[in-house]
Amino acid sequence: MITDDARALLETGAICDSCLGRPFAARSFGLTNDERGRALRTTIAMADDEDYDPVSPVDCWVCEGYCGTFDAIAETIVDALETVEFDTYQVGSRVPPLVEENERLLREDAGLEPDVGESLKREVNREVGIRIGDITGTDVDFDRPDVLAIVDLEGFDPFEALDADSVTSHAVDVQVNPAFVYGRYRKLERDIPQTEWPCRECGGSGVQLADTGEEPCDYCGGSGYLYDTSVEQVVRPHVVEAMDGDEGTFHGAGREDVDARMLEGGRPFVLEVKRPSTREVDVEALEREINEAAAGAVEVDGLRLATYEMVERVKEHDASKQYRADVEFADPVEEHDFEAALEELTGTTVEQDTPQRVDHRRAALTRERTVYDMDGELHGPTEAEVRIHGEGGLYVKELVSSDEGRTVPSLAGVLETDAEVTALDVLSVEGEEEPFELEAYFRDEPRDDEETASVDA
């Protein structure tokens, strides 16, 4: 019977109600271990007609006072989070090895299974977590909380904590998880990379060694970057500042060449903000701020507060892309030959060896990619505009030029003349089977303009 097991536990020495109730944690859902232990102690006292003799955690040989510190731990964690805005949290703990050994001995001396009930570690996590939720009005999240608090029980004296109603802040480690802002960017000028491009000659330092000492790097002019700015440098500072974070990381759904523009619908991205103090920001105002500061070189659109899963979605989601390219041919091309070549390439699957222009940073592979559609107009005997809708990962410049036979078939190969893309614009980056923007990946409600757009669509 449960009372026999409880009697055996009580015979091991002075134990508090929480430690008495913990081996029976699977009994009577809705009770705390402290309530279970008190009920068992009361039942046994009445059954044996003995005086009721409660034991304070201070006198408990098992937890050595820690079961009385739940309130103090919670208050200390809440104080540590005073300047942090969060909706969800999780609590973890480290229990002193000697206390864990006490728990094992308690069950062993009482003749119980070593893993019966639950551990002190789980009780600390739950009971402290409940108190944090009650104080802050936030919710526990065991998957990906906004904040994670780890308490090291060995980092404070439980008896001092009981007197002070708090624990030393050194025993609490508060981890603030990143916040995420999703959007799409348009790059309206050429020669702007997506992310920072440090100078390879000076390693981003902006200086080089000379006979007279350090001097500005000749290659980058002392800036430390090969390009004056990037989409990342346009977007990141504003988002990090709005969320009062430490730093930010830019994640894009692929990237266009530095000399290509990104137009029309834009390219999906996520800006990850490390250690944000604020998570609820006015994304529409933030959008206006970024666009005004970019002065027409870059635009962002559709900013929304996102979940951490959106990073993986942006980086891994299968997407098709549409392009517009200005093409120059080495030899004059006839109209009917041009149209026939586009028709032949539409719907075909091409094999592409890693292009020469990127083989220094990408593995040497042969990739198969589908050309969904290809059309265009011949503007002159050696000049044309070509529009391409292709599978994600299609090397468009090489589809036109053949890259000295590394892409088969190609526009140059079909027309039997050299062809070169002189200007490239990306027009659309959209999911192959479903859009990037699913509500499950956002923390906020759809914006009014997005609701209107979905209705119009």
Side-chain angles (χ1 to χ4, degrees):
M1 292 181 61
I2 187 173
T3 51
D4 292 335
D5 291 336
R7 283 189 175 91
L9 291 167
L10 290 170
E11 288 172 1
T12 66
I15 59 175
C16 67
D17 288 340
S18 290
C19 290
L20 176 59
R22 200 157 51 250
F24 309 102
R27 301 289 191 103
S28 296
F29 179 77
L31 294 175
T32 65
N33 290 331
D34 182 70
E35 290 168 338
R36 291 184 182 94
R38 188 177 305 112
L40 287 168
R41 195 186 304 272
T42 302
T43 299
I44 292 171
M46 292 180 66
D48 296 347
D49 194 18
E50 294 182 351
D51 293 340
Y52 175 74
D53 187 18
V55 175
S56 168
V58 174
D59 300 316
C60 179
W61 73 269
V62 180
C63 71
E64 299 182 354
Y66 285 111
C67 285
T69 63
F70 299 154
D71 289 334
I73 295 171
E75 290 289 349
T76 302
I77 292 173
V78 170
D79 288 345
L81 292 170
E82 184 178 6
T83 61
V84 178
E85 183 177 276
F86 64 100
D87 295 320
T88 59
Y89 66 91
Q90 184 180 355
V91 176
S93 60
R94 303 184 189 96
V95 176
L98 288 178
V99 175
E100 290 183 332
E101 177 68 5
N102 290 347
E103 284 211 279
R104 186 189 66 79
L105 291 174
L106 171 67
R107 288 160 173 77
E108 180 180 298
D109 292 349
L112 303 180
E113 293 295 324
D115 58 351
V116 67
E118 71 174 354
S119 65
L120 175 59
K121 179 186 181 72
R122 290 191 62 180
E123 182 173 15
V124 170
N125 297 347
R126 183 184 62 257
E127 292 300 326
V128 172
I130 289 172
R131 288 159 171 78
I132 292 174
D134 290 343
I135 296 170
T136 62
T138 55
D139 298 317
V140 67
D141 183 347
F142 298 111
D143 183 23
R144 183 74 178 188
D146 293 339
V147 296
L148 170 64
I150 305 294
V151 56
D152 184 359
L153 300 188
E154 207 164 22
F156 67 91
D157 185 322
F159 301 140
E160 292 180 0
L162 288 170
D163 289 338
D165 291 329
S166 65
V167 303
T168 174
S169 59
H170 298 300
V172 173
D173 179 23
V174 172
Q175 302 172 23
V176 181
N177 282 328
F180 305 89
V181 174
Y182 170 86
R184 285 175 174 262
Y185 74 82
R186 287 183 289 274
K187 196 175 72 179
L188 306 178
E189 296 179 1
R190 304 192 190 280
D191 297 324
I192 298 177
Q194 183 190 86
T195 54
E196 291 182 339
W197 200 321
C199 174
R200 55 178 171 268
E201 295 298 318
C202 65
S205 67
V207 297
Q208 61 185 16
L209 292 177
D211 294 339
T212 56
E214 290 185 347
E215 60 182 31
C217 173
D218 290 335
Y219 198 75
C220 66
S223 69
Y225 295 97
L226 292 183
Y227 296 89
D228 292 337
T229 190
S230 65
V231 177
E232 177 182 20
Q233 288 165 282
V234 167
V235 174
R236 183 185 60 204
H238 299 279
V239 180
V240 171
E241 181 179 3
M243 291 189 158
D244 193 16
D246 287 350
E247 57 182 315
T249 302
F250 190 96
H251 306 280
R255 63 175 67 215
E256 64 283 336
D257 291 338
V258 68
D259 60 350
R261 294 183 297 182
M262 180 69 242
L263 306 177
E264 297 190 4
R267 185 181 295 274
F269 73 91
V270 173
L271 202 292
E272 177 181 353
V273 179
K274 308 292 179 62
R275 291 192 61 82
S277 294
T278 301
R279 293 177 184 269
E280 304 300 324
V281 299
D282 184 339
V283 289
E284 294 185 58
L286 179 59
E287 189 174 295
R288 290 192 298 271
E289 178 184 314
I290 293 171
N291 291 337
E292 288 173 5
V298 173
E299 290 180 350
V300 296
D301 187 33
L303 295 191
R304 293 190 62 182
L305 304 178
T307 65
Y308 78 99
E309 292 98 340
M310 184 57 91
V311 173
E312 181 178 0
R313 185 166 182 82
V314 160
K315 296 173 77 69
E316 304 294 337
H317 190 50
D318 291 335
S320 67
K321 298 164 188 176
Q322 298 189 41
Y323 304 84
R324 190 209 66 82
D326 291 336
V327 178
E328 185 174 307
F329 301 109
D331 301 305
V333 174
E334 296 293 335
E335 182 80 31
H336 65 275
D337 291 333
F338 177 69
E339 293 178 355
L342 297 180
E343 184 175 351
E344 180 177 337
L345 290 170
T346 294
T348 192
T349 296
V350 300
E351 291 187 354
Q352 297 190 299
D353 292 344
T354 301
Q356 298 179 71
R357 62 189 173 90
V358 297
D359 63 4
H360 62 285
R361 65 177 187 270
R362 298 199 178 166
L365 298 173
T366 299
R367 300 169 176 84
E368 290 188 348
R369 295 291 186 268
T370 301
V371 181
Y372 298 136
D373 189 28
M374 197 165 176
D375 64 13
E377 292 85 32
L378 200 60
H379 294 320
T382 60
E383 295 179 349
E385 177 181 308
V386 176
R387 292 176 295 276
I388 302 163
H389 182 199
E391 182 181 359
L394 175 70
Y395 291 112
V396 174
K397 291 179 178 178
E398 286 68 28
L399 174 66
V400 171
S401 71
S402 91
D403 194 25
E404 298 182 358
R406 289 171 176 254
T407 290
V408 179
S410 67
L411 183 61
V414 173
L415 290 173
E416 297 182 348
T417 183
D418 289 344
E420 179 186 2
V421 173
T422 57
L424 181 66
D425 296 328
V426 186
L427 305 179
S428 172
V429 179
E430 301 296 341
E432 288 274 11
E433 297 182 359
E434 62 181 21
F436 282 88
E437 299 88 351
L438 294 184
E439 286 305 309
Y441 295 94
F442 296 111
R443 293 178 64 117
D444 56 8
E445 295 298 320
R447 288 167 49 175
D448 292 340
D449 52 349
E450 291 170 353
E451 292 178 324
T452 302
S454 64
V455 171
D456 293 342

